[in-house]
Amino acid sequence: MAGAASALFLLDIKGRVLIWRDYRGDVSAVQAERFFTKLIEKEGDPQSQDPVVYDNGVTYLFIQHNNVYLMTASRQNCNAASLLLFLHRVVDVFKHYFEVLEEESLRDNFVVVYELLDEIMDFGFPQYTEAKILSEFIKTDAYRMEVAQRPPMAVTNAVSWRSEGIRYKKNEVFLDVVGECQHTGQQQWANNTFRCCRGTQDENILEVKPLIWVEAQVERHSRSRIEIMVKARSQFKERSTATNIEIELPVPSDATNPNIRTSMGSATYAPENDALVWKIKSFPGNKEYMLRAEFGLPSITAEEALLREKLRSV
């Protein structure tokens, strides 16, 4: 059947992928980069401003709406007219749900967009593209952008980038800041307990408190088995979230038979580094998570002194 698409991509004005849906499994996200490279090459050729790009066995069909590119990629001899019509219908569907189709409305409605992409195409073939029919299946609330109705520029004589009559008591700019932090802690040892903290060993005189406070307790149940209990607590506001957290805990080099349980995330034993690695994908503010691990120590002799020495390198 003609008209099959391998994938549907939604790109921003710079060619970066906002959302994409793979329908047939024969293309990858790399196709978006190749498409945009070919598109830039076409801009200098006024004889080749058609909505079709072909490269290395893949056919790309695209349209642009505001600051968004809608593009299908296909490895088959597809029906170009059918897929181009489909892309225009997709625009109508998104406008029905979001009022305005642009990069911001897509970012604000990722969940709804993916639900729509699952319904409007099946295995690369267009399916439901009527907004009223889709509304019967997809009832997820969408964030609708507000469109201000402005008079023509000739009437107001205003500049194009600023609405008329705007006044502010204070000049302010609000920014969303996303940062990355790598944190290496030190520890205190007392009664088989160590704490990971930043900078000095004295908890009472810390220049700044760590974002993630890690506290661990080591218990020896026998001459051949130890148990490590770890508590990680976020020390920032609830409205903030840390992502891709990785906590590395040293263990004796002869530890065997790990039995690990976590209340959040996943933990793995890395014997090549004599460490236990705890990964938490999302860590909201003012939250606390626990890890409990048991290890066998077949050749334990002076395990407490060894573990103390290792913990100094945390």
Side-chain angles (χ1 to χ4, degrees):
M1 183 184 298
S6 298
L8 174 61
F9 294 83
L10 303 177
L11 315 173
D12 66 11
I13 199 67
K14 296 183 179 179
R16 293 173 296 199
V17 176
L18 299 173
I19 299 176
W20 78 291
R21 179 68 166 84
D22 184 9
Y23 293 105
R24 302 182 69 88
D26 56 356
V27 298
S28 66
V30 177
Q31 262 65 50
E33 181 179 350
R34 294 178 177 174
F35 156 76
F36 202 72
T37 300
K38 290 293 182 180
L39 184 63
I40 294 176
E41 295 175 358
K42 286 164 61 69
E43 289 181 352
D45 183 9
Q47 301 293 330
S48 182
Q49 294 301 312
D50 54 271
V52 181
V53 176
Y54 179 83
D55 177 59
N56 196 26
V58 179
T59 303
Y60 306 94
L61 297 101
F62 69 96
I63 62 173
Q64 181 181 357
H65 186 84
N66 293 333
N67 58 356
V68 176
Y69 285 100
L70 296 88
M71 181 266 289
T72 62
S74 176
R75 291 190 179 276
Q76 298 185 358
N77 185 16
C78 58
N79 186 327
S82 174
L83 289 181
L84 288 173
L85 176 60
F86 168 76
L87 292 178
H88 284 283
R89 298 300 295 270
V90 172
V91 171
D92 294 338
V93 170
F94 286 156
K95 289 170 65 177
H96 171 81
Y97 274 84
F98 314 141
E99 193 66 32
V100 177
L101 173 58
E102 59 183 39
E103 180 180 348
E104 182 181 355
S105 62
L106 291 175
R107 293 186 181 278
D108 290 339
N109 294 281
F110 271 119
V111 175
V112 181
V113 172
Y114 276 113
E115 290 184 16
L116 289 171
L117 294 183
D118 286 337
E119 295 293 338
I120 62 180
M121 182 168 277
D122 184 22
F123 198 58
F125 299 106
Q127 300 294 312
Y128 302 105
T129 56
E130 288 289 339
K132 292 184 178 180
I133 296 178
L134 289 168
S135 298
E136 297 296 321
F137 299 98
I138 301 175
K139 299 182 180 297
T140 306
D141 291 335
Y143 176 78
R144 297 176 66 86
M145 297 189 63
E146 297 182 1
V147 181
Q149 298 295 330
R150 291 185 289 182
M153 298 298 296
V155 175
T156 62
N157 198 27
V159 292
S160 59
W161 50 268
R162 183 177 176 88
S163 300
E164 187 177 8
I166 296 179
R167 297 290 185 272
Y168 298 102
K169 293 182 179 180
K170 293 190 298 183
N171 292 324
E172 296 179 317
V173 176
F174 295 92
L175 302 175
D176 291 330
V177 179
V178 179
E180 294 183 359
C181 176
Q182 291 185 345
H183 183 74
T184 301
Q186 297 179 353
Q187 69 288 326
Q188 296 174 317
W189 178 277
N191 299 324
N192 288 337
T193 301
F194 70 92
R195 294 180 175 88
C196 294
C197 59
R198 182 176 180 178
T200 178
Q201 292 184 359
D202 188 353
E203 178 183 351
N204 297 322
I205 59 174
L206 285 177
E207 284 93 332
V208 59
K209 65 180 179 181
L211 297 177
I212 306 293
W213 179 267
V214 181
E215 182 174 346
Q217 183 175 358
V218 181
E219 294 185 4
R220 184 176 59 201
H221 295 285
S222 66
R223 300 295 297 175
S224 61
R225 185 171 68 90
I226 64 169
E227 183 177 14
I228 302 176
M229 291 167 287
V230 183
K231 178 172 64 177
R233 183 175 69 253
S234 55
Q235 302 191 119
F236 45 86
K237 295 182 180 180
E238 294 182 0
R239 64 188 180 189
S240 300
T241 301
T243 58
N244 299 323
I245 300 299
E246 184 172 306
I247 301 172
E248 184 173 313
L249 300 163
V251 298
S253 59
D254 58 349
T256 60
N257 301 324
N259 183 10
I260 307 169
R261 301 182 299 277
T262 65
S263 62
M264 180 61 67
S266 61
T268 57
Y269 174 43
E272 67 278 6
N273 297 326
D274 296 335
L276 181 64
V277 181
W278 185 10
K279 295 182 179 180
I280 303 175
K281 187 174 182 181
S282 179
F283 205 139
N286 198 25
K287 289 288 186 179
E288 182 176 289
Y289 298 126
M290 304 290 293
L291 175 147
R292 185 183 296 267
E294 294 183 2
F295 290 92
L297 296 175
S299 61
I300 188 166
T301 54
E303 69 284 353
E304 183 174 311
L306 179 61
L307 190 55
R308 288 182 185 179
E309 180 179 355
K310 281 181 165 295
L311 289 173
R312 295 194 182 96
S313 63
V314 173

